[in-house]
Amino acid sequence: MKKHILAAVAVSTLFVACTKSTTTEKTENPDGSVTTTTTTEIGTGLDTSKIDKAKSDIKNTVNNAGDKIENTAQKAKEDINAAGKDIKAEANKVGKDIKSGAQDVSKDVKDVAAKGAQKVEDGAKKFKEDLKK
């Protein structure tokens, strides 16, 4: 869309442009003095070769701008994809760390519970022996 707008502006500017020609005429008066007359004509004729060259230049400029936009968008897409991969890798690492930590805590809880149960059993045996005496 931007390409079309830029091209339209450039072409319309060319159509508004005018050509200008100037002629100078020297006339000798009967008394020997010289009179110089300058005539400037402003016409609306267009030089098609200049228009074609300008159109070609505009087309090239617009195409280059479009290519730059496309390249920038592609690079942004690649950067976003790379960032997404990095985030995913870090999230997986954090998930593994949490899982490992949870397993360690679970193991510790089981060990503490087993030791506590053993102490309860030992205490119950000792109490039972004390009752027999």
Side-chain angles (χ1 to χ4, degrees):
M1 184 68 176
K2 289 181 183 178
K3 290 181 181 181
H4 297 296
I5 293 171
L6 291 173
V9 168
V11 171
S12 65
T13 303
L14 290 173
F15 285 120
V16 173
C18 298
T19 58
K20 182 177 176 180
S21 65
T22 304
T23 56
T24 304
E25 186 179 313
K26 293 184 181 182
T27 311
E28 188 173 330
N29 295 325
D31 63 356
S33 63
V34 176
T35 304
T36 304
T37 306
T38 303
T39 306
T40 302
E41 294 180 15
I42 299 175
T44 58
L46 297 173
D47 187 354
T48 58
S49 65
K50 288 181 182 179
I51 291 172
D52 291 340
K53 183 181 181 320
K55 283 172 51 178
S56 176
D57 291 347
I58 290 168
K59 184 177 179 181
N60 290 336
T61 302
V62 170
N63 286 339
N64 289 340
D67 290 343
K68 286 180 182 179
I69 290 168
E70 289 174 10
N71 291 339
T72 302
Q74 182 63 31
K75 184 172 181 348
K77 180 182 174 185
E78 291 170 1
D79 290 347
I80 289 169
N81 287 340
K85 288 178 183 176
D86 290 346
I87 290 169
K88 184 177 179 180
E90 285 298 316
N92 285 337
K93 182 180 175 188
V94 168
K96 287 178 183 177
D97 290 347
I98 290 171
K99 184 178 179 180
S100 174
Q103 288 173 344
D104 291 345
V105 168
S106 174
K107 192 177 194 181
D108 291 345
V109 168
K110 286 179 183 177
D111 290 344
V112 168
K115 287 179 184 177
Q118 185 63 44
K119 286 184 180 183
V120 169
E121 286 179 19
D122 291 344
K125 283 182 185 178
K126 187 176 180 187
F127 184 67
K128 189 176 181 181
E129 289 174 9
D130 287 345
L131 285 177
K132 287 183 182 180
K133 292 185 185 178

